[in-house]
Amino acid sequence: MIRSELIQMIAEENPHLYQRDVERIVNTIFEEIIAAMARGDRVELRGFGAFSVKKRDARLGRNPRTGESVDVAEKYVPFFKTGKLLRDRLNGNETDETED
């Protein structure tokens, strides 16, 4: 699913909202997640998962075309860990959230 499909689906499920408002809401959520990750913060969406940033140390890599060794600088990469509810639903293990 791409962003425009998500916006369209939410707009269809909420006819009381204007599509431009749904688009603004979705874009704001994504922008806030990006801003938090850029600050190095972790973003957790209960039942869905957690977004974080991991540091990859500098290393010696290899050019696959030539086999030549190349230096790869350290970098930060986005990381996503699925939440238990999402993992269970993907694996067909529907759970009742109201259980205590």
Side-chain angles (χ1 to χ4, degrees):
M1 174 180 288
I2 59 175
R3 185 185 304 219
S4 60
E5 292 172 340
L6 175 63
I7 292 168
Q8 184 65 38
M9 187 175 70
I10 293 171
E12 288 172 1
E13 291 177 5
N14 296 280
H16 59 285
L17 297 174
Y18 292 112
Q19 175 138 353
R20 69 177 181 269
D21 292 337
V22 172
E23 187 171 349
R24 189 174 310 137
I25 292 166
V26 169
N27 288 335
T28 300
I29 291 169
F30 286 150
E31 287 168 11
E32 288 301 316
I33 291 171
I34 291 167
M37 291 177 68
R39 291 188 306 268
D41 295 340
R42 182 173 184 266
V43 177
E44 181 177 335
L45 303 173
R46 292 268 180 208
F48 182 71
F51 297 91
S52 60
V53 178
K54 290 199 174 202
K55 179 182 173 189
R56 295 255 171 98
D57 292 328
R59 62 184 174 84
L60 189 61
R62 190 164 302 280
N63 182 329
R65 192 171 289 170
T66 64
E68 180 183 342
S69 293
V70 292
D71 289 323
V72 179
E74 84 172 10
K75 60 184 170 182
Y76 294 88
V77 294
F79 180 75
F80 177 74
K81 182 175 179 185
T82 58
K84 184 179 182 327
L85 180 62
L86 175 59
R87 214 172 20 254
D88 288 347
R89 289 190 67 182
L90 289 174
N91 291 307
N93 304 329
E94 295 287 330
T95 59
D96 185 5
E97 276 191 35
T98 58
E99 292 180 15
D100 288 326

